[in-house]
Amino acid sequence: MNEIICPNCKKAFKVDEASFADILKQVRDHQFEEELQARLNLADKEKESAVKLAEANIRNSLQEQLNKNENELIELKAEIKNAEVEKKLSVTEAIQKIEKERDELANTVKNKETEKQLLENSLKEKYTAELKTKDDIIKLKDEEIALRKDMKLKLSTKMLGETLEQHCETEFNKLRATAFQNAYFEKDNDSSSGSKGDFVYRENDAAGNEIISIMFEMKNEGDETATKKRNEDFFKELDKDRTEKKCEYAVLVSLLEVDSEFYNTGIVDVSHKYNKMYVVRPQFFIPIITLLRNAAMNAVQYKAELALARNQNIDITNFEEKINKFREGFARNYDLASRKFKDAIDGIDKTIKELEKTKAALLSSENNLRLANEKTEDLTIKKLTRGNPTMKAKFEELK
């Protein structure tokens, strides 16, 4: 038996072991639950405090991190803003620079375009004028060729010859009143000897002395003529007509052998075959008369001086001065003829293709003039007095 004292009434009572064990168990269970509850409550409080502390720590940590992030974000935004401002400034400066370069380039291009346009307009006007001139020349050439071909197709060989004669006669008549006032130039109608030339040119001085005489023959040939004639085929007959009509010179005005470089040189001297004979193209018809006439007039002056020397026994020194003057005069005529030929060349260059060959012809004709000038330079007192005993004696007396 176990004695148990009541804590409230202080009475003692006995309980057996089974009851005691049961009471003890109840007491223990109750105490355990109280302690457990107390511990649980304590644990709940500690847990709640720990949770609150953890929440507070987490909240503080998050707040600190958030503040840090916000500061970093503010700094980043500031940096971005600054970068954007700098970027805008850089872009603005770059754009302004590019726009300036663009404007300068545009102005340069505009100026170049203006210069190009002005140059193009200038060149266009120049080339248009040149082309127009060229076209006009070509048109004139084509018209001339067409006209001549048409004329040659329509005319017989005889009529072609007559047309050339008419051309030469017209050219002479244009200058007859001014340059050839004392000259005779007419058709040769005297066929009593069996033949005749085309024209005879004669000129006398004031005293009635003949200065020069020329027998002219004009020869042409149609494109359709089967047998082409040569200039040389007419030399013998022309020389015969010149001799019978007592002319000093013989000139063949010819359009034969149009492709001959020899006859296209200008004034061709064929004196190696027939004395004082020349072949010329129609454009040299007037120049050959002028050259022969001027040379003859100088020769007449020389002859008159020589006759005067014979008759009046003039001073030999003065006589030789006259000879020198004759040489100088002929040289001046030669120079004048050269310049005339130069002018003729400039004119011919602007005409049709056929006349372009005449330029070389004119240049080559200067060689003939040079030869003529050299012949006059070779003229000496000794040669002049050869076969003249009177003049030879005079020179011997001077010596």
Side-chain angles (χ1 to χ4, degrees):
M1 296 295 289
N2 291 316
E3 184 175 348
I4 297 173
I5 298 172
C6 179
N8 292 324
C9 63
K10 303 301 184 179
K11 290 180 177 181
F13 58 89
K14 292 182 180 181
V15 291
D16 55 16
E17 290 182 4
S19 297
F20 181 78
D22 183 52
I23 292 170
L24 183 60
K25 181 178 178 300
Q26 291 180 10
V27 172
R28 287 180 177 176
D29 289 340
H30 179 72
Q31 185 178 3
F32 177 76
E33 286 179 1
E34 287 181 352
E35 289 180 358
L36 179 61
Q37 186 64 40
R39 288 182 179 273
L40 287 175
N41 290 337
L42 181 61
D44 289 337
K45 288 181 180 181
E46 290 178 353
K47 177 181 176 183
E48 184 178 353
S49 297
V51 170
K52 288 181 179 180
L53 180 60
E55 288 178 352
N57 291 335
I58 291 172
R59 188 179 297 107
N60 292 333
S61 177
L62 290 175
Q63 187 64 41
E64 290 177 0
Q65 186 66 33
L66 182 60
N67 293 335
K68 183 179 179 181
N69 290 341
E70 286 180 354
N71 292 333
E72 291 178 353
L73 182 59
I74 291 171
E75 292 177 358
L76 182 61
K77 286 182 178 181
E79 292 178 359
I80 291 173
K81 186 175 181 180
N82 292 333
E84 288 179 351
V85 172
E86 292 178 358
K87 180 180 178 182
K88 287 181 179 180
L89 290 174
S90 300
V91 171
T92 302
E93 290 177 358
I95 290 174
Q96 290 177 348
K97 183 178 180 181
I98 292 173
E99 287 178 346
K100 182 179 179 181
E101 293 177 354
R102 180 201 63 191
D103 294 339
E104 291 176 353
L105 183 60
N107 290 331
T108 302
V109 172
K110 186 177 180 180
N111 292 334
K112 292 295 183 182
E113 287 293 333
T114 302
E115 292 177 3
K116 178 183 176 184
Q117 189 64 38
L118 291 175
L119 181 60
E120 286 180 353
N121 293 337
S122 176
L123 292 176
K124 188 179 295 183
E125 291 176 359
K126 178 183 176 183
Y127 291 144
T128 300
E130 291 180 355
L131 287 174
K132 187 177 184 302
T133 302
K134 182 179 178 182
D135 291 341
D136 291 341
I137 293 174
I138 293 174
K139 182 180 179 181
L140 181 62
K141 178 201 72 173
D142 293 340
E143 290 176 352
E144 180 70 16
I145 292 174
L147 180 62
R148 290 185 177 274
K149 285 187 177 181
D150 182 65
M151 181 178 67
K152 289 181 179 181
L153 289 174
K154 292 179 180 178
L155 299 178
S156 63
T157 303
K158 179 177 182 298
M159 291 180 68
L160 285 169
E162 291 177 352
T163 301
L164 181 57
E165 292 175 15
Q166 291 169 2
H167 166 77
C168 293
E169 186 175 17
T170 300
E171 291 299 310
F172 183 85
N173 287 335
K174 288 178 181 178
L175 301 172
R176 186 191 290 267
T178 55
F180 305 106
Q181 296 178 1
N182 300 321
Y184 168 91
F185 182 76
E186 301 295 340
K187 287 277 292 183
D188 180 18
N189 295 318
D190 183 8
S191 58
S192 58
S193 62
S195 64
K196 62 177 182 177
D198 288 329
F199 282 90
V200 174
Y201 174 91
R202 296 185 190 277
E203 187 170 357
N204 298 334
D205 61 13
N209 299 316
E210 185 176 280
I211 299 173
I212 185 174
S213 56
I214 308 172
M215 171 61 70
F216 281 101
E217 182 76 16
M218 284 74 173
K219 289 298 176 184
N220 200 345
E221 190 172 58
D223 293 338
E224 73 281 0
T225 304
T227 304
K228 296 290 184 180
K229 295 285 188 179
R230 298 184 306 161
N231 290 313
E232 192 172 352
D233 296 339
F234 300 96
F235 290 171
K236 184 177 180 181
E237 189 69 21
L238 176 59
D239 185 64
K240 177 176 175 291
D241 292 337
R242 181 261 304 271
T243 303
E244 291 178 350
K245 302 301 167 58
K246 297 181 181 180
C247 292
E248 184 178 1
Y249 294 96
V251 176
L252 176 63
V253 183
S254 171
L255 284 173
L256 304 179
E257 301 182 66
V258 293
D259 297 326
S260 171
E261 293 184 3
F262 177 65
Y263 290 112
N264 287 334
T265 56
I267 298 174
V268 180
D269 185 351
V270 292
S271 299
H272 60 285
K273 292 188 176 181
Y274 294 94
N275 188 38
K276 294 186 177 181
M277 183 177 291
Y278 299 89
V279 180
V280 300
R281 294 305 187 193
Q283 61 266 29
F284 296 102
F285 168 66
I286 295 297
I288 188 64
I289 295 177
T290 303
L291 290 173
L292 295 178
R293 176 174 176 258
N294 290 342
M297 291 183 72
N298 286 327
V300 167
Q301 182 181 0
Y302 148 71
K303 291 176 183 177
E305 294 289 345
L306 183 59
L308 186 61
R310 289 173 179 173
N311 295 331
Q312 299 179 2
N313 195 20
I314 62 171
D315 184 74
I316 299 301
T317 304
N318 185 49
F319 175 76
E320 189 154 4
E321 287 179 357
K322 296 293 183 180
I323 295 298
N324 290 334
K325 286 183 179 180
F326 161 69
R327 291 175 178 172
E328 293 173 0
F330 192 87
R332 283 194 300 271
N333 290 333
Y334 167 79
D335 182 63
L336 179 61
S338 296
R339 283 186 275 116
K340 292 289 185 182
F341 287 164
K342 177 67 169 57
D343 293 338
I345 289 171
D346 293 338
I348 289 169
D349 282 340
K350 297 177 182 178
T351 59
I352 60 178
K353 182 178 179 181
E354 288 77 5
L355 293 180
E356 289 178 354
K357 296 181 181 179
T358 309
K359 181 177 180 180
L362 287 170
L363 295 174
S364 299
S365 67
E366 288 189 351
N367 185 49
N368 293 322
L369 291 173
R370 181 181 58 78
L371 294 174
N373 192 45
E374 289 176 355
K375 289 179 181 178
T376 61
E377 291 292 339
D378 194 39
L379 187 65
T380 63
I381 297 298
K382 183 176 180 181
K383 289 184 179 180
L384 288 173
T385 58
R386 183 179 298 166
N388 190 330
T390 302
M391 294 302 299
K392 188 174 182 180
K394 294 291 184 183
F395 282 107
E396 291 296 332
E397 290 176 6
L398 289 175
K399 292 181 181 179

